[in-house]
Amino acid sequence: MASEIHMLEPICLIENTEAQLVINQEALRILSSINQPLVVVAIVGLYRTGKSYLMNKLAGKRTGFSLGSTVQSHTKGIWMWCVPHPKKAGQTLVLLDTEGLEDVEKGDNQNDCWIFALAVLLSSTFIYNSIGTINQQAMDQLHYVTELTDLIKSKSSPDQSGIEDSANFVGFFPTFVWALRDFSLELEVNGKPITADEYLEHSLTLKKGADKKTKNFNEPRLCIRKFFPKRKCFIFDRPAQRKQLSILETLPEKELCREFVEQVEEFTSYIFSYSAVKTLSGGIIVNGPRLKSLVQTYVSAICSGSLPCMENAVLTLAQIENSAAVQKALTYYEEQMNQKLQMPTETLQELLDLHRPIESEAIDVFLKNSFKDVDQKFQTELGNLLVAKRDAFVKKNLDVSSARCSDLLDDIFGPLEEEVKQGTFSKPGGYYLFLQMKKELEKKYNQAPGKGLQAEAMLKKYFESKEDVVETLLKTDQSLTEAAKEVEEERIKAEAAEAANRELEDKQKKFELMMREKEQSYQEHVRQLTEKMKEERKMFIEEQDRIIAAKLREQEKFLKEGFENESRKLRREIDHVKNQSSGKCTIL
């Protein structure tokens, strides 16, 4: 499958039609073909605010996402454009353009909430596009952010600590970028010049008070600060005269406002340089198939009346990929064994010595392609399947050896059997003549190469099948006295008993060898799993440290601003995150 894709134009990913969200299967097929890590940039905002223009610039095209030229909203649902990342080789940039919020023609705006929530869940960078300044009207229009707690769950079951589920949002929410279009104010506070980022932070300052008006003022600001610790702001002048806005995509840059062109360049440069690869909890890098699974899981939850749950989405993805990882590891094991194993082997040890490193490599294949294998369910399944595959090779090795020995016995002892039929040994002294020829042929058989580990067993089986012939020749040989015949019978019995004892000893040795192999296999599973868990633990601690650092920054700001209650809430959340870092895990 192709790992890099070149889409000439966007395609609808999730269609919003008749108040229903419907996934476009062709878009999913496109995602399935992208094995590269994805940088997912989504944009939302009120309808007719120029979202699509910015997304086209990020795609490096003049046209693509529909801009339209009237007050009607053009983009319906969520549209997707996958392009090679312009600055980071080996990555794909996925642009998600969403339909305009608050479209008067829609009537029911419930799906606006879901479009907003999906844009947050699917992206690694979330752009909110609005016109003018960040005032209370702009905050009121961003009411969707306050509804995220009613639209998204991070955990499938409530936390027993009493910490709100939304406290976990910071762990997987994207970077928040506010794009302010047609911005006409001077960037300054109290007469001092400030940056766009400082303007955003100043606009997110809370007010003191417990009345409803103050609560409404603070709520969206609180949500942005708590859910999106990494924030960025860009301002854009009006790009052209009002009459030219309807043909903006056709205007050459020299006819656009110079400041606007520079601002767009700064914006695209930031997105290209700093937008991160989409990752899930545990540092799981999202590629095309994984994004496809997330889209399916989230939309399915919404359509069924449930809430999209991050934990469930990751576990669903893990089920799919871990099952595939088991098959990938088995295929690797089987291919390597078929390629390297020359059957029949002379000993079982020889086969096991070949099996062991290949089994180790197969476990490695599984671990590299799996994640969140709860209770090592899939690795245990792999272990059992590898044992079955190994045993199948052991049996096939025995069968090949048996078949080769059988053919060899027919070739070597065939002439002897023919002479028996012709009566060559049915005369006085014929018995010992038969034994002499049998011994010479047995030596020839033993010296023949490539018989495999069934050589002695097949020879024993062959001789047992001819016992009646030997017995007949012994009884009919008139040159032998009865005493001599009795001695010979005892010798034959002793040889048979000795062969049976050797067979028992051989079986016991093979049993002990297989038990040692079982223990070594178990220890190899544990060794590799322990190494992986150490790496995952390190990644988990780093992830928790980033979350704690982000919450600490906001906590300090709240404390500095005099909002002790909010500071205490964040302190409890920080302590809860620290406690999560001390969990235990059982290996196999």
XYZ file of all heavy atoms in Angstrom, residues 459-533:
626
model
N 13.205 -48.133 11.831
C 13.893 -49.426 11.670
C 13.277 -50.448 12.620
O 13.020 -51.604 12.232
C 15.390 -49.255 11.956
C 16.244 -50.517 11.796
C 16.233 -51.001 10.341
C 17.683 -50.250 12.262
N 13.025 -50.011 13.858
C 12.396 -50.897 14.856
C 11.018 -51.342 14.374
O 10.650 -52.519 14.462
C 12.284 -50.156 16.184
C 11.596 -50.940 17.303
C 11.649 -50.141 18.598
C 10.862 -50.849 19.707
N 9.405 -50.779 19.496
N 10.263 -50.378 13.875
C 8.921 -50.676 13.377
C 8.982 -51.664 12.210
O 8.142 -52.592 12.116
C 8.235 -49.374 12.940
C 6.805 -49.549 12.489
C 6.206 -48.196 12.087
C 4.788 -48.381 11.564
N 4.201 -47.075 11.135
N 9.973 -51.496 11.349
C 10.115 -52.386 10.187
C 10.443 -53.800 10.648
O 9.833 -54.777 10.182
C 11.209 -51.859 9.257
C 11.505 -52.795 8.112
C 10.663 -52.854 7.001
C 12.610 -53.661 8.165
C 10.921 -53.739 5.950
C 12.871 -54.540 7.124
C 12.025 -54.577 6.025
O 12.280 -55.477 5.003
N 11.388 -53.906 11.584
C 11.784 -55.232 12.076
C 10.608 -55.911 12.779
O 10.429 -57.135 12.664
C 12.973 -55.118 13.022
C 14.289 -54.881 12.321
C 15.407 -54.426 13.013
C 14.425 -55.142 10.969
C 16.609 -54.224 12.370
C 15.621 -54.925 10.302
C 16.711 -54.469 11.011
N 9.821 -55.109 13.521
C 8.655 -55.684 14.199
C 7.658 -56.242 13.195
O 7.007 -57.256 13.438
C 7.978 -54.624 15.074
C 8.759 -54.289 16.339
C 8.146 -53.127 17.114
O 7.228 -52.460 16.560
O 8.580 -52.871 18.255
N 7.545 -55.578 12.042
C 6.606 -56.046 11.015
C 7.079 -57.354 10.360
O 6.284 -58.045 9.711
C 6.401 -54.959 9.952
O 7.564 -54.827 9.141
N 8.364 -57.695 10.549
C 8.922 -58.894 9.929
C 9.216 -59.982 10.958
O 9.906 -60.971 10.657
C 10.221 -58.537 9.168
C 10.068 -57.441 8.117
C 9.044 -57.811 7.050
C 8.836 -56.694 6.058
N 7.774 -57.017 5.069
N 8.690 -59.822 12.165
C 8.968 -60.799 13.228
C 8.471 -62.197 12.857
O 9.104 -63.216 13.179
C 8.332 -60.336 14.544
C 9.129 -59.239 15.230
C 8.454 -58.738 16.506
O 7.313 -59.185 16.767
O 9.063 -57.923 17.226
N 7.315 -62.270 12.201
C 6.766 -63.580 11.835
C 7.667 -64.298 10.834
O 7.804 -65.530 10.853
C 5.358 -63.439 11.272
C 5.297 -62.514 10.071
O 6.201 -61.658 9.947
O 4.352 -62.619 9.255
N 8.319 -63.519 9.936
C 9.236 -64.106 8.963
C 10.446 -64.689 9.679
O 10.871 -65.837 9.398
C 9.698 -63.050 7.931
C 10.779 -63.632 7.010
C 8.521 -62.541 7.135
N 11.004 -63.910 10.623
C 12.178 -64.360 11.381
C 11.828 -65.608 12.175
O 12.592 -66.603 12.221
C 12.677 -63.244 12.320
C 13.826 -63.746 13.187
C 13.116 -62.030 11.513
N 10.649 -65.583 12.808
C 10.209 -66.712 13.633
C 10.043 -67.977 12.776
O 10.457 -69.086 13.169
C 8.884 -66.361 14.305
C 8.431 -67.407 15.312
C 7.114 -67.030 15.988
O 6.655 -65.877 15.795
O 6.553 -67.871 16.693
N 9.488 -67.839 11.613
C 9.285 -68.977 10.704
C 10.623 -69.553 10.264
O 10.833 -70.786 10.266
C 8.478 -68.531 9.483
O 7.220 -68.043 9.897
C 8.269 -69.700 8.515
N 11.547 -68.693 9.876
C 12.867 -69.152 9.429
C 13.605 -69.866 10.566
O 14.309 -70.864 10.337
C 13.703 -67.978 8.921
C 13.269 -67.364 7.588
C 14.100 -66.126 7.274
C 13.392 -68.378 6.444
N 13.452 -69.329 11.789
C 14.119 -69.924 12.938
C 13.567 -71.328 13.210
O 14.318 -72.281 13.444
C 13.943 -69.030 14.168
C 14.547 -69.554 15.492
C 16.071 -69.702 15.367
C 14.208 -68.601 16.643
N 12.250 -71.466 13.188
C 11.608 -72.749 13.519
C 11.842 -73.811 12.436
O 11.890 -75.012 12.735
C 10.114 -72.533 13.715
C 9.773 -71.836 15.027
C 8.260 -71.665 15.177
C 7.933 -71.002 16.518
N 6.480 -70.787 16.698
N 11.983 -73.362 11.199
C 12.103 -74.336 10.104
C 13.543 -74.677 9.742
O 13.787 -75.545 8.882
C 11.405 -73.794 8.841
O 11.972 -72.537 8.481
C 9.907 -73.653 9.073
N 14.492 -74.013 10.399
C 15.895 -74.307 10.094
C 16.287 -75.615 10.788
O 16.439 -75.670 12.012
C 16.790 -73.157 10.551
C 18.221 -73.292 9.999
O 18.647 -74.426 9.721
O 18.876 -72.238 9.840
N 16.457 -76.708 10.002
C 16.698 -78.050 10.557
C 18.111 -78.210 11.089
O 18.410 -79.178 11.785
C 16.423 -79.097 9.477
C 14.962 -79.125 9.042
C 14.708 -80.117 7.912
O 15.638 -80.748 7.397
N 13.438 -80.242 7.533
N 18.986 -77.281 10.778
C 20.364 -77.412 11.269
C 20.507 -76.976 12.729
O 21.548 -77.182 13.345
C 21.308 -76.590 10.395
O 21.064 -75.202 10.582
N 19.473 -76.329 13.252
C 19.520 -75.808 14.630
C 18.841 -76.780 15.582
O 17.756 -77.310 15.294
C 18.819 -74.457 14.712
C 19.471 -73.302 13.943
C 18.582 -72.063 14.001
C 20.858 -72.982 14.502
N 19.495 -77.016 16.728
C 18.881 -77.841 17.765
C 17.813 -77.033 18.466
O 17.760 -75.794 18.358
C 19.936 -78.281 18.797
O 20.452 -77.117 19.446
C 21.074 -79.046 18.114
N 16.983 -77.714 19.227
C 15.930 -77.010 19.980
C 16.545 -76.064 21.002
O 16.034 -74.980 21.251
C 15.018 -78.043 20.680
C 14.130 -78.817 19.731
C 13.211 -77.906 18.955
O 12.633 -76.951 19.550
O 13.069 -78.097 17.727
N 17.649 -76.503 21.600
C 18.323 -75.648 22.602
C 18.840 -74.372 21.948
O 18.730 -73.267 22.502
C 19.470 -76.413 23.249
N 19.419 -74.538 20.758
C 19.942 -73.363 20.035
C 18.821 -72.419 19.653
O 18.969 -71.177 19.720
C 20.679 -73.828 18.784
N 17.680 -73.015 19.292
C 16.535 -72.176 18.934
C 16.029 -71.382 20.142
O 15.666 -70.211 20.025
C 15.408 -73.037 18.370
C 15.707 -73.596 16.991
C 14.559 -74.451 16.487
C 14.900 -75.022 15.092
N 13.804 -75.878 14.578
N 16.029 -72.057 21.318
C 15.581 -71.366 22.543
C 16.524 -70.206 22.894
O 16.093 -69.133 23.303
C 15.515 -72.372 23.698
C 14.339 -73.338 23.588
C 14.314 -74.337 24.721
O 15.140 -74.174 25.669
O 13.492 -75.263 24.677
N 17.812 -70.466 22.745
C 18.809 -69.401 23.014
C 18.583 -68.222 22.069
O 18.625 -67.057 22.474
C 20.242 -69.961 22.861
C 21.262 -68.808 22.881
C 20.556 -70.953 23.958
N 18.325 -68.529 20.804
C 18.116 -67.468 19.816
C 16.846 -66.669 20.120
O 16.812 -65.439 19.974
C 18.038 -68.080 18.416
C 17.945 -67.076 17.301
C 19.135 -66.144 17.208
O 20.233 -66.482 17.738
O 18.989 -65.044 16.622
N 15.805 -67.397 20.571
C 14.552 -66.705 20.925
C 14.768 -65.755 22.090
O 14.224 -64.644 22.115
C 13.476 -67.741 21.272
C 12.906 -68.445 20.050
C 11.953 -69.572 20.421
O 11.790 -69.829 21.629
O 11.374 -70.184 19.497
N 15.562 -66.198 23.084
C 15.859 -65.327 24.231
C 16.668 -64.097 23.789
O 16.468 -62.994 24.291
C 16.635 -66.122 25.296
C 15.802 -67.157 26.031
C 14.596 -66.548 26.730
O 14.764 -65.475 27.356
O 13.482 -67.112 26.631
N 17.591 -64.346 22.841
C 18.385 -63.204 22.345
C 17.484 -62.181 21.644
O 17.634 -60.972 21.832
C 19.456 -63.723 21.366
C 20.425 -62.625 20.882
C 21.282 -63.128 19.731
N 20.489 -63.379 18.545
C 20.043 -62.404 17.721
N 20.307 -61.137 17.967
N 19.326 -62.735 16.661
N 16.561 -62.680 20.857
C 15.641 -61.797 20.131
C 14.800 -60.994 21.125
O 14.593 -59.788 20.964
C 14.741 -62.622 19.190
C 15.577 -63.199 18.043
C 13.603 -61.762 18.641
C 14.831 -64.193 17.172
N 14.312 -61.663 22.168
C 13.512 -60.982 23.199
C 14.341 -59.910 23.909
O 13.846 -58.815 24.188
C 12.994 -61.996 24.225
C 11.880 -62.881 23.710
C 11.419 -63.850 24.805
C 10.331 -64.799 24.271
N 9.908 -65.778 25.295
N 15.581 -60.257 24.225
C 16.455 -59.293 24.915
C 16.709 -58.069 24.039
O 16.712 -56.930 24.522
C 17.774 -59.964 25.280
N 16.926 -58.294 22.725
C 17.140 -57.184 21.797
C 15.903 -56.290 21.729
O 15.994 -55.062 21.693
C 17.470 -57.735 20.404
C 18.938 -58.045 20.208
C 19.246 -58.375 18.744
O 18.304 -58.307 17.911
O 20.412 -58.680 18.440
N 14.729 -56.935 21.698
C 13.466 -56.178 21.646
C 13.276 -55.356 22.906
O 12.843 -54.192 22.856
C 12.295 -57.143 21.448
N 13.607 -55.965 24.057
C 13.464 -55.247 25.329
C 14.422 -54.065 25.391
O 14.072 -52.968 25.853
C 13.725 -56.203 26.491
N 15.642 -54.295 24.893
C 16.638 -53.212 24.883
C 16.184 -52.074 23.971
O 16.315 -50.886 24.319
C 17.974 -53.778 24.400
C 19.116 -52.774 24.519
C 20.440 -53.353 24.027
O 20.554 -54.587 23.910
O 21.352 -52.547 23.730
N 15.617 -52.421 22.821
C 15.118 -51.402 21.888
C 13.955 -50.633 22.499
O 13.839 -49.403 22.337
C 14.678 -52.075 20.584
N 13.087 -51.353 23.237
C 11.945 -50.695 23.899
C 12.435 -49.725 24.966
O 11.893 -48.623 25.128
C 11.023 -51.745 24.503
N 13.469 -50.138 25.708
C 14.035 -49.259 26.748
C 14.649 -48.003 26.126
O 14.499 -46.896 26.654
C 15.099 -50.008 27.561
C 14.479 -50.995 28.542
O 13.337 -50.816 28.962
N 15.227 -52.048 28.885
N 15.371 -48.209 25.005
C 15.947 -47.042 24.324
C 14.848 -46.093 23.860
O 14.993 -44.884 23.929
C 16.794 -47.496 23.122
C 18.144 -48.060 23.487
C 19.098 -48.019 22.296
N 18.543 -48.673 21.130
C 18.649 -49.991 20.882
N 19.291 -50.778 21.736
N 18.131 -50.498 19.774
N 13.749 -46.651 23.386
C 12.626 -45.840 22.918
C 12.023 -45.035 24.065
O 11.711 -43.849 23.916
C 11.562 -46.731 22.286
C 10.437 -45.953 21.623
C 9.440 -46.852 20.919
O 9.384 -48.061 21.244
O 8.702 -46.345 20.050
N 11.874 -45.690 25.231
C 11.337 -44.994 26.414
C 12.269 -43.872 26.856
O 11.829 -42.775 27.202
C 11.135 -45.992 27.564
C 9.886 -46.861 27.504
C 9.883 -47.900 28.627
C 8.627 -45.979 27.605
N 13.573 -44.171 26.862
C 14.559 -43.153 27.243
C 14.521 -41.977 26.269
O 14.619 -40.818 26.677
C 15.964 -43.771 27.266
C 16.205 -44.695 28.445
C 17.563 -45.387 28.351
O 18.351 -45.027 27.432
O 17.824 -46.265 29.188
N 14.375 -42.310 24.995
C 14.316 -41.264 23.968
C 13.077 -40.375 24.165
O 13.157 -39.150 24.071
C 14.304 -41.904 22.584
C 14.403 -40.856 21.484
O 15.350 -40.058 21.510
O 13.521 -40.840 20.601
N 11.947 -40.994 24.456
C 10.713 -40.240 24.703
C 10.860 -39.345 25.922
O 10.397 -38.198 25.931
C 9.539 -41.196 24.902
C 9.012 -41.807 23.614
C 7.802 -42.688 23.872
C 7.266 -43.270 22.566
N 6.108 -44.168 22.797
N 11.500 -39.870 26.978
C 11.694 -39.084 28.199
C 12.605 -37.889 27.925
O 12.340 -36.769 28.387
C 12.302 -39.971 29.290
C 12.554 -39.261 30.625
C 11.282 -38.755 31.274
O 10.203 -39.318 31.058
N 11.380 -37.685 32.047
N 13.668 -38.117 27.148
C 14.577 -37.023 26.800
C 13.854 -35.933 25.998
O 14.046 -34.738 26.228
C 15.767 -37.554 26.002
C 16.780 -38.314 26.842
C 17.908 -38.845 25.974
C 18.917 -39.641 26.802
N 19.988 -40.242 25.952
N 13.024 -36.388 25.042
C 12.274 -35.429 24.230
C 11.277 -34.649 25.080
O 11.085 -33.438 24.882
C 11.555 -36.146 23.090
C 12.483 -36.595 21.975
C 11.747 -37.369 20.894
C 12.707 -37.808 19.792
N 12.036 -38.647 18.765
N 10.650 -35.339 26.019
C 9.707 -34.668 26.919
C 10.424 -33.596 27.746
O 9.948 -32.464 27.872
C 9.041 -35.699 27.838
C 8.175 -35.089 28.905
C 6.905 -34.598 28.608
C 8.642 -34.988 30.225
C 6.110 -34.016 29.592
C 7.856 -34.413 31.209
C 6.593 -33.928 30.894
N 11.565 -33.964 28.313
C 12.339 -33.009 29.120
C 12.812 -31.834 28.256
O 12.823 -30.683 28.711
C 13.529 -33.720 29.759
C 13.119 -34.715 30.841
C 14.300 -35.547 31.338
O 15.428 -35.352 30.815
O 14.102 -36.383 32.244
N 13.195 -32.141 27.024
C 13.640 -31.091 26.107
C 12.503 -30.114 25.811
O 12.707 -28.886 25.818
C 14.136 -31.736 24.811
C 14.803 -30.812 23.777
C 16.026 -30.136 24.370
C 15.180 -31.627 22.538
N 11.295 -30.644 25.574
C 10.142 -29.790 25.282
C 9.732 -28.966 26.505
O 9.298 -27.819 26.367
C 8.965 -30.628 24.799
C 9.189 -31.304 23.448
S 9.601 -30.152 22.111
C 8.011 -29.399 21.817
N 9.880 -29.519 27.690
C 9.568 -28.765 28.909
C 10.555 -27.617 29.103
O 10.158 -26.513 29.494
C 9.591 -29.697 30.129
C 8.456 -30.719 30.156
S 6.806 -29.945 30.053
C 6.749 -29.078 31.614
N 11.834 -27.887 28.822
C 12.835 -26.811 28.906
C 12.529 -25.744 27.869
O 12.665 -24.545 28.130
C 14.246 -27.367 28.707
C 14.794 -28.135 29.868
C 16.315 -28.274 29.788
N 16.741 -28.993 28.603
C 16.840 -30.324 28.523
N 16.539 -31.077 29.567
N 17.262 -30.905 27.405
N 12.111 -26.191 26.675
C 11.759 -25.257 25.607
C 10.577 -24.385 26.019
O 10.546 -23.180 25.752
C 11.424 -26.036 24.336
C 11.094 -25.165 23.137
C 12.240 -24.260 22.749
O 13.411 -24.668 22.875
O 11.967 -23.122 22.320
N 9.593 -24.992 26.674
C 8.422 -24.254 27.139
C 8.824 -23.154 28.125
O 8.358 -22.020 28.044
C 7.436 -25.223 27.815
C 6.175 -24.571 28.320
C 5.250 -25.594 28.978
C 3.995 -24.908 29.525
N 3.090 -25.889 30.194
N 9.718 -23.503 29.042
C 10.180 -22.525 30.033
C 10.981 -21.410 29.367
O 10.804 -20.218 29.677
C 11.028 -23.226 31.098
C 11.634 -22.300 32.144
C 10.602 -21.536 32.976
O 9.439 -21.988 33.064
O 10.958 -20.472 33.536
N 11.852 -21.780 28.441
C 12.642 -20.773 27.731
C 11.741 -19.836 26.915
O 11.976 -18.628 26.860
C 13.661 -21.449 26.823
C 14.823 -22.089 27.576
C 15.779 -22.815 26.643
O 15.365 -23.400 25.645
N 17.058 -22.793 26.960
N 10.712 -20.408 26.295
C 9.764 -19.613 25.524
C 9.042 -18.622 26.417
O 8.899 -17.443 26.084
C 8.756 -20.532 24.827
O 7.777 -19.771 24.151
N 8.599 -19.087 27.564
C 7.913 -18.217 28.527
C 8.823 -17.070 28.968
O 8.413 -15.905 29.002
C 7.458 -19.032 29.745
C 6.922 -18.199 30.878
C 5.634 -17.667 30.837
C 7.714 -17.916 31.990
C 5.143 -16.889 31.880
C 7.237 -17.139 33.034
C 5.955 -16.626 32.969
O 5.479 -15.852 33.992
N 10.065 -17.420 29.288
C 11.011 -16.408 29.744
C 11.303 -15.383 28.645
O 11.491 -14.197 28.932
C 12.321 -17.068 30.205
C 12.184 -17.913 31.457
C 11.706 -17.113 32.662
O 11.906 -15.894 32.745
N 11.071 -17.789 33.607
N 11.303 -15.827 27.392
C 11.536 -14.903 26.282
C 10.361 -13.935 26.136
O 10.553 -12.738 25.907
C 11.761 -15.675 24.984
C 12.035 -14.810 23.767
C 13.277 -13.951 23.899
O 14.170 -14.274 24.717
O 13.371 -12.937 23.168
N 9.147 -14.450 26.266
C 7.964 -13.584 26.244
C 8.051 -12.537 27.354
O 7.803 -11.349 27.132
C 6.692 -14.418 26.438
C 6.142 -14.999 25.178
N 5.313 -14.296 24.338
C 6.318 -16.214 24.604
C 4.983 -15.054 23.304
N 5.581 -16.230 23.437
N 8.395 -12.992 28.555
C 8.478 -12.087 29.712
C 9.573 -11.051 29.510
O 9.388 -9.857 29.790
C 8.721 -12.884 31.015
C 9.032 -11.943 32.172
C 7.502 -13.740 31.343
N 10.729 -11.506 29.004
C 11.864 -10.584 28.809
C 11.493 -9.453 27.855
O 11.687 -8.273 28.162
C 13.072 -11.354 28.260
C 14.327 -10.481 28.076
C 15.421 -11.221 27.335
N 15.095 -11.447 25.939
C 15.208 -10.515 24.992
N 15.598 -9.289 25.281
N 14.889 -10.801 23.729
N 10.933 -9.818 26.694
C 10.593 -8.791 25.708
C 9.449 -7.908 26.197
O 9.454 -6.696 25.959
C 10.230 -9.447 24.376
C 11.410 -10.085 23.675
C 11.154 -10.248 22.182
O 10.578 -9.383 21.531
N 11.602 -11.366 21.630
N 8.473 -8.516 26.862
C 7.350 -7.728 27.373
C 7.822 -6.749 28.445
O 7.379 -5.596 28.489
C 6.269 -8.655 27.947
C 5.035 -7.961 28.534
C 4.324 -7.110 27.483
C 4.067 -8.984 29.118
N 8.732 -7.207 29.300
C 9.267 -6.337 30.357
C 9.977 -5.130 29.750
O 9.809 -3.998 30.222
C 10.251 -7.123 31.261
O 9.565 -8.252 31.818
C 10.768 -6.246 32.394
N 10.752 -5.375 28.693
C 11.449 -4.267 28.027
C 10.449 -3.276 27.442
O 10.613 -2.059 27.577
C 12.353 -4.811 26.924
C 13.595 -5.520 27.433
C 14.457 -6.052 26.301
O 14.145 -5.769 25.128
O 15.457 -6.759 26.588
N 9.406 -3.820 26.804
C 8.405 -2.932 26.209
C 7.680 -2.142 27.291
O 7.411 -0.947 27.127
C 7.396 -3.738 25.389
C 6.340 -2.833 24.736
C 5.379 -3.569 23.849
C 4.402 -2.582 23.210
N 3.444 -3.207 22.321
N 7.355 -2.803 28.396
C 6.638 -2.120 29.474
C 7.487 -1.024 30.111
O 6.963 0.014 30.526
C 6.179 -3.129 30.529
C 5.063 -4.046 30.021
S 4.575 -5.309 31.205
C 3.781 -4.316 32.455
